[in-house]
Amino acid sequence: MPSDSQSSSSTAPVETELLRAVCGHFVTGVTVITSGRGEQAAGTTVNSFTSVSLDPPLVLFCLHHKSRLRDVVEDSQAYAVNFLAAQHEPLARAFAGRSTASLQEVPHRPSATGVPVLSDALAYLSCRLVNTFEGGDHTVFVGEVVDLDVPERDRRPLVFFRGAMGALLAAV
């Protein structure tokens, strides 16, 4: 909070690249968000994921307004958060670009909400969309968890730190 001697209106604008560099020092997990059904099913790599509430069980993630997955999530009203293991870095990169891997090329199965879950995910949450919020150049998607599992408990997670992906090295 600004002190009495500071005014938020006199603060210089934050430089985008500096903000990216500073936020890059916050370690995050790497996920692939999947949504849609049938031919409309798609996925994208996201690290802007967090738990919101345990009761009710709510989680959120953010997508850029121009993301190809935005309309898919809004149309299906559901999404799955697939937590990636360290060996999934190629998968994360495949779903990170503008023209991404096809879900048909990756083993998956339908979740309780009908949206695909990656068969080899470290863990997953399948969610029913309950709210969206506009935040700058992103949309925040809040979902209620209706299906979840941790099928691969003994693998290390894939993490993102200072612009790079890698394995979490410390034993947890």
Side-chain angles (χ1 to χ4, degrees):
M1 218 174 172
S3 68
D4 292 338
S5 63
Q6 295 176 332
S7 167
S8 61
S9 62
S10 66
T11 305
V14 172
E15 294 177 27
T16 304
E17 290 306 313
L18 180 57
L19 177 61
R20 182 184 304 262
V22 170
C23 289
H25 283 79
F26 183 69
V27 179
T28 65
V30 181
T31 68
V32 169
I33 303 295
T34 50
S35 189
R37 295 171 184 87
E39 295 292 316
Q40 300 302 319
T44 195
T45 302
V46 166
N47 70 332
S48 61
F49 161 80
T50 193
S51 173
V52 176
S53 169
L54 294 176
D55 187 18
L58 300 175
V59 298
L60 70 76
F61 76 97
C62 304
L63 285 178
H64 192 276
H65 286 248
K66 293 181 182 176
S67 171
R68 67 195 167 286
L69 195 64
R70 186 173 181 233
D71 289 341
V72 178
V73 174
E74 289 174 346
D75 288 346
S76 68
Q77 294 291 295
Y79 63 85
V81 182
N82 299 272
F83 296 86
L84 300 186
Q87 68 266 26
H88 292 139
E89 185 173 344
L91 181 67
R93 292 194 184 284
F95 279 102
R98 290 204 183 273
S99 57
T100 68
S102 166
L103 270 177
Q104 283 61 37
E105 300 167 1
V106 179
H108 64 279
R109 62 175 180 75
S111 66
T113 59
V115 301
V117 169
L118 302 181
S119 299
D120 198 31
L122 177 66
Y124 74 88
L125 304 166
S126 183
C127 307
R128 179 181 54 81
L129 186 64
V130 295
N131 215 333
T132 61
F133 303 93
E134 299 307 310
D137 59 0
H138 280 67
T139 300
V140 179
F141 293 90
V142 179
E144 181 176 8
V145 179
V146 297
D147 181 26
L148 67 162
D149 195 13
V150 183
E152 298 291 338
R153 294 179 189 272
D154 295 331
R155 293 190 289 175
R156 292 184 182 211
L158 182 62
V159 297
F160 189 73
F161 179 66
R162 293 193 311 200
M165 284 187 266
L168 180 65
L169 298 179
V172 205

